[in-house]
Amino acid sequence: MNWLSWISDFFSSPDRRSGPDSIANRIGEHLAISGEALFYAALLAVPLGLLIGYSGRGAGLVTALSGTARALPTLGLVTLAVLLVGVGDTAVLIPLVALAAPVLLVAACEGVRGTDPDLRDAARGIGLTHRQVLWQVCVPAALPALLAGLRTATVQVIATATVAAYVGLGGLGRYVIDGLATRDFPLTVGGALLVVLLAVAAQLLFAALSRFALPAGLRKQRR
Amino acid sequence: MIRFDGAGKRHPDGTIAVEGLDLTVPAGRTTVLVGPSGCGKTTILRMVNRMVEPTSGRVLLDGTDVTELEAAKLRRGIGYVIQQAGLFPHRKVIDNIATVPHLLGWDRKKARARAHEMLELVGLAPETAKRYPFQLSGGQQQRVGVARALAADPPLLLMDEPFSAVDPVVRAGLQEELLRLQSELNKTVLFVTHDIEEAVRLGDQIVVLREHGRIGQVADPATLLAAPADEQVAAFLGRDRGLRGLGLRPAGSIALTPLDEPFAGWRLELDEAGRATGWTGHGEHRPAAAFDPGADTLRTALDATVLSPVGAAVAVDGDGRAVGIAARAAVLDALDALHALPPRDEAGHGR
């Protein structure tokens, strides 16, 4: 089949091995953009989500807001961001953060809200302060939900970071956009395949993480 | 000592949980709050550690109004056990028990050592320390809950229906354990339950509550069963109060007759170890029923004479060796003595 040979063409090209257009370099750029976006999204959304989840105030708003935010068209946001801040990292980070933040916000909020009320009550009753209840009881209880949210956000951001190339930045999107522009289909298909592989790899990484990084008492709960 | 001084709780929506409660919970004893659901017993308990703030009156802990104390600090000085144990699922048993010592700033080593001590105190195996709460049975979790409450050695223990969620056999074991602990530790215990049997079993003082935390009666278990204040309290106590009250009286007062003395034509047979094997007489052999005057109650003794097919029970020592014969009439005499009746023969009841 045609596209199989495109893929082999893509991987056998010397340009993929070294230089700015090499696979290693593009994956590095892609991960850097994705990582940066996730970092800012988490910085913004997680503490806010934890607080809202703990206090229970504004939780309805969070759900409504995140639903709306998910409906935002990323490409439109990129264009808007370019108009607002000009071409550059920020123009890509804005839509990616807008994509990841609501997911993390809801995960943090719902994770904390899902803490067994009897458990919170007992924790208060034996003398934990609100801050201690949040950190020692609710955050651990929210970890599985947080990790799941982070996984969703990561996969989405990695898939969507392709748009960086749209405004002239690097990443795997370069292959896709450049391929389309020059009708170099092996380049487009190979780039798309790499994005998919990267997203799947991220998915697997988180599956392993939620298996080994969570405390044993949370992995298997009977509550 | 805890004193409720006209303490009340009215919810923001106007409903009244507790109204004008005056009650003293004596130090070093177990006080049980018992009543139907919705009577405000849990609210009363939670006023002590400020999980509920009274809206009227005061709650005094050793003379200090609890609302004058910082809530978290107050709670760290009070053991708190709830129905579902409320253990932290992400922490091992040992770390759960050491929670309050950690909060109080004990060093790690001392807190751990103390936690291991507590584990042993509540009758759990040392290897339980490394397990997570979900790996334990309900009864074991509840024991860990008690261990956690005791870890910082608080003088006061609040227990909110701690044994309600476990099956009757496990519950009986936990109650036994609490009685044993209390006989060693002499804490001030305020215990909430809806189960009058549990109240009678555990309480030195029982507070029967009606709606809005109004007191029906405050009494020790024997007095409560023998003399309920009114019909409502009597109805709550349930049937067979008299018999159940006998369960609180030691059987040691029953007059025994010697083993070799025949009883109504029946002779008690013993094996080499001195244990009763049955009664022989009237050309028959019948089984024996026994009780231990040193450990059992009048209720058990009476039960043994009721069970006995010859009308007399065998009194045995701790090792099961027969020490005497208790005729049904002798048990009834012991019951008469409870009410300070004159001996039957003189009163003309005859036998």
Side-chain angles (χ1 to χ4, degrees), chain A residues 98-160:
Chain A
L99 186 73
V103 177
L104 295 174
L105 187 67
V106 172
C109 180
E110 291 305 316
V112 169
R113 260 157 58 93
T115 314
D116 181 355
D118 285 343
L119 184 61
R120 275 175 67 160
D121 190 76
R124 291 281 297 149
I126 62 172
L128 276 75
T129 61
H130 278 297
R131 187 188 294 251
Q132 286 166 334
V133 175
L134 178 61
W135 285 108
Q136 297 182 27
V137 179
C138 294
V139 170
L143 271 184
L146 257 179
L147 218 54
L150 197 59
R151 183 179 65 189
T152 310
T154 303
V155 171
Q156 283 185 356
V157 165
I158 284 177
T160 314

Side-chain angles (χ1 to χ4, degrees), chain A residues 118-119 121-129 132 136-137 140 215-218 220 222-223, chain B residues 46 49 51 72 75-76 80 82 84 86-91 99-100 103 132 134 136 148:
Chain A
D118 285 343
L119 184 61
D121 190 76
R124 291 281 297 149
I126 62 172
L128 276 75
T129 61
Q132 286 166 334
Q136 297 182 27
V137 179
L218 289 175
K220 193 175 158 194
R222 282 199 311 199
R223 270 189 178 281
Chain B
R46 287 164 69 92
N49 65 354
M51 292 297 281
R75 290 171 189 151
R76 285 169 199 176
Y80 188 49
I82 60 167
Q84 295 290 356
L87 302 178
F88 300 158
H90 57 287
R91 288 195 187 158
T99 303
V100 181
L103 290 175
Y132 285 94
F134 78 90
L136 306 181
R148 180 174 69 176

Side-chain angles (χ1 to χ4, degrees), chain B residues 35-60:
Chain B
S37 52
C39 70
K41 52 193 189 292
T42 292
T43 306
I44 294 171
L45 178 107
R46 287 164 69 92
M47 278 191 211
V48 178
N49 65 354
R50 292 191 62 191
M51 292 297 281
V52 170
E53 302 277 357
T55 48
S56 59
R58 297 186 304 167
V59 180
L60 303 168

Side-chain angles (χ1 to χ4, degrees), chain B residues 90-103:
Chain B
H90 57 287
R91 288 195 187 158
K92 288 179 181 144
V93 164
I94 198 73
D95 298 318
N96 263 290
I97 298 176
T99 303
V100 181
H102 276 310
L103 290 175

